Amino acid sequence: YFIAADDLNVIRFRVQNVKDLSAIGVKSEVKRINGFPWQLKVFRDDSNNRLTVQVECNKSMECPLWECFVEGTIKLIDHSDDSDSFCKNFGEYLSETYELRYCDELPYCDVKVCPLEELLGYQNFVVDGCI
Protein backbone atom coordinates (compact mmCIF):
# COMPACT_ATOMS: atom_id res chain seq x y z
CA TYR A 1 0.00 0.00 0.00
CA PHE A 2 1.03 3.56 -0.60
CA ILE A 3 -0.28 6.29 1.65
CA ALA A 4 -0.08 10.00 0.89
CA ALA A 5 -1.26 11.84 3.95
CA ASP A 6 -1.38 14.88 6.14
CA ASP A 7 -2.84 14.91 9.67
CA LEU A 8 -6.45 14.67 8.44
CA ASN A 9 -6.45 13.10 4.99
CA VAL A 10 -5.09 9.86 3.59
CA ILE A 11 -5.07 8.22 0.16
CA ARG A 12 -4.52 4.46 0.42
CA PHE A 13 -3.56 2.69 -2.77
CA ARG A 14 -2.76 -1.01 -3.23
CA VAL A 15 -0.59 -1.67 -6.30
CA GLN A 16 -0.88 -5.16 -7.77
CA ASN A 17 1.75 -7.05 -9.79
CA VAL A 18 4.49 -4.61 -8.82
CA LYS A 19 7.20 -6.64 -10.63
CA ASP A 20 5.33 -6.01 -13.91
CA LEU A 21 4.85 -2.31 -13.24
CA SER A 22 5.40 -0.30 -16.42
CA ALA A 23 6.30 3.29 -17.21
CA ILE A 24 2.59 3.90 -17.89
CA GLY A 25 1.77 2.86 -14.33
CA VAL A 26 -1.50 2.58 -12.44
CA LYS A 27 -3.69 5.22 -10.80
CA SER A 28 -5.63 5.37 -7.55
CA GLU A 29 -9.16 6.63 -7.27
CA VAL A 30 -9.57 10.41 -7.00
CA LYS A 31 -10.00 11.72 -3.45
CA ARG A 32 -10.92 15.27 -2.39
CA ILE A 33 -8.57 16.82 0.13
CA ASN A 34 -9.11 20.45 1.16
CA GLY A 35 -11.44 20.97 -1.80
CA PHE A 36 -8.95 19.69 -4.39
CA PRO A 37 -9.31 16.37 -6.25
CA TRP A 38 -6.07 14.35 -5.78
CA GLN A 39 -4.89 11.11 -7.34
CA LEU A 40 -1.77 8.95 -7.04
CA LYS A 41 -0.04 7.37 -10.02
CA VAL A 42 2.55 4.66 -9.34
CA PHE A 43 4.97 3.72 -12.13
CA ARG A 44 8.47 2.50 -12.97
CA ASP A 45 10.75 5.31 -14.14
CA ASP A 46 12.55 3.78 -17.13
CA SER A 47 15.45 6.24 -16.95
CA ASN A 48 16.68 4.82 -13.62
CA ASN A 49 14.37 1.83 -12.92
CA ARG A 50 13.00 3.47 -9.76
CA LEU A 51 9.57 3.06 -8.29
CA THR A 52 7.97 6.51 -8.52
CA VAL A 53 4.77 7.97 -7.11
CA GLN A 54 3.22 10.88 -8.95
CA VAL A 55 0.87 13.05 -6.88
CA GLU A 56 -1.59 14.62 -9.34
CA CYS A 57 -4.09 17.41 -8.87
CA ASN A 58 -7.23 17.29 -11.06
CA LYS A 59 -8.40 20.81 -10.15
CA SER A 60 -7.90 21.94 -13.77
CA MET A 61 -11.01 19.97 -14.74
CA GLU A 62 -13.08 22.30 -12.52
CA CYS A 63 -11.32 25.65 -12.68
CA PRO A 64 -8.91 27.16 -15.23
CA LEU A 65 -6.98 29.23 -12.69
CA TRP A 66 -5.78 27.88 -9.34
CA GLU A 67 -2.68 27.30 -7.23
CA CYS A 68 -1.72 25.34 -4.14
CA PHE A 69 1.24 24.02 -2.20
CA VAL A 70 1.05 20.26 -1.76
CA GLU A 71 2.94 18.77 1.15
CA GLY A 72 2.79 15.21 2.40
CA THR A 73 4.44 11.87 3.01
CA ILE A 74 4.55 8.81 0.79
CA LYS A 75 4.63 5.71 2.98
CA LEU A 76 5.42 2.23 1.69
CA ILE A 77 4.01 -0.24 4.21
CA ASP A 78 6.21 -2.97 5.73
CA HIS A 79 3.67 -5.73 6.38
CA SER A 80 5.75 -7.38 9.11
CA ASP A 81 6.39 -4.24 11.15
CA ASP A 82 4.67 -0.93 10.38
CA SER A 83 7.34 0.97 12.33
CA ASP A 84 9.87 -0.15 9.67
CA SER A 85 7.76 1.25 6.82
CA PHE A 86 9.58 3.45 4.30
CA CYS A 87 8.55 7.12 4.35
CA LYS A 88 9.47 9.94 1.99
CA ASN A 89 8.35 13.54 2.54
CA PHE A 90 7.62 15.89 -0.34
CA GLY A 91 6.43 19.42 -0.97
CA GLU A 92 5.85 21.29 -4.18
CA TYR A 93 3.98 24.30 -5.54
CA LEU A 94 1.38 23.40 -8.19
CA SER A 95 -0.70 25.76 -10.31
CA GLU A 96 -2.74 26.09 -13.46
CA THR A 97 -3.16 29.17 -15.62
CA TYR A 98 -5.37 30.04 -18.54
CA GLU A 99 -2.72 28.69 -20.92
CA LEU A 100 -3.95 26.01 -23.30
CA ARG A 101 -2.74 22.48 -22.69
CA TYR A 102 -2.03 20.28 -25.68
CA CYS A 103 -1.91 17.00 -23.77
CA ASP A 104 -3.73 15.24 -20.96
CA GLU A 105 -0.97 15.86 -18.43
CA LEU A 106 -2.18 17.15 -15.06
CA PRO A 107 -0.18 19.32 -12.65
CA TYR A 108 1.82 16.90 -10.50
CA CYS A 109 4.90 16.29 -8.39
CA ASP A 110 7.03 13.14 -8.66
CA VAL A 111 8.35 11.33 -5.59
CA LYS A 112 11.16 8.89 -6.43
CA VAL A 113 10.68 6.13 -3.87
CA CYS A 114 13.38 3.47 -4.33
CA PRO A 115 15.09 1.23 -6.90
CA LEU A 116 12.59 -1.38 -8.08
CA GLU A 117 15.03 -4.32 -7.67
CA GLU A 118 15.66 -3.30 -4.07
CA LEU A 119 11.93 -3.22 -3.35
CA LEU A 120 11.29 -6.61 -4.98
CA GLY A 121 14.08 -8.15 -2.90
CA TYR A 122 12.50 -7.08 0.38
CA GLN A 123 9.62 -9.50 0.97
CA ASN A 124 8.02 -7.56 3.81
CA PHE A 125 6.99 -4.80 1.40
CA VAL A 126 5.81 -7.06 -1.44
CA VAL A 127 3.09 -9.53 -0.40
CA ASP A 128 1.49 -11.73 -3.05
CA GLY A 129 3.06 -9.47 -5.70
CA CYS A 130 1.38 -6.36 -4.26
CA ILE A 131 2.59 -3.27 -2.42
Side-chain angles (χ1 to χ4, degrees):
Y1 285 95
F2 276 101
I3 302 175
D6 62 17
D7 291 339
L8 303 174
N9 298 287
V10 175
I11 298 174
R12 295 180 188 272
F13 184 34
R14 182 182 174 132
V15 179
Q16 306 215 13
N17 301 320
V18 70
K19 70 179 176 96
D20 298 326
L21 198 59
S22 71
I24 296 170
V26 293
K27 289 189 174 189
S28 70
E29 291 185 21
V30 174
K31 180 170 182 181
R32 275 202 181 269
I33 299 174
N34 295 330
F36 284 73
W38 295 97
Q39 188 171 37
L40 299 179
K41 176 183 175 184
V42 179
F43 64 98
R44 184 188 72 239
D45 184 339
D46 283 336
S47 67
N48 55 20
N49 202 33
R50 291 183 76 85
L51 183 71
T52 302
V53 177
Q54 194 171 80
V55 181
E56 298 178 344
C57 184
N58 296 329
K59 189 68 174 174
S60 301
M61 305 296 184
E62 303 169 349
C63 179
L65 184 61
W66 60 271
E67 61 184 24
C68 72
F69 183 78
V70 58
E71 188 174 43
T73 301
I74 298 295
K75 183 176 182 182
L76 182 58
I77 304 296
D78 181 328
H79 293 280
S80 67
D81 182 0
D82 187 46
S83 65
D84 283 341
S85 294
F86 178 82
C87 295
K88 189 147 189 181
N89 296 323
F90 66 93
E92 193 165 324
Y93 176 79
L94 299 178
S95 68
E96 184 63 89
T97 65
Y98 285 104
E99 295 173 12
L100 293 175
R101 287 185 168 261
Y102 296 101
C103 65
D104 293 331
E105 188 175 284
L106 299 169
Y108 65 88
C109 61
D110 278 347
V111 182
K112 308 266 188 247
V113 178
C114 65
L116 199 52
E117 297 87 23
E118 184 179 313
L119 174 67
L120 293 172
Y122 192 62
Q123 296 177 3
N124 292 338
F125 286 118
V126 182
V127 176
D128 296 328
C130 303
I131 52 175

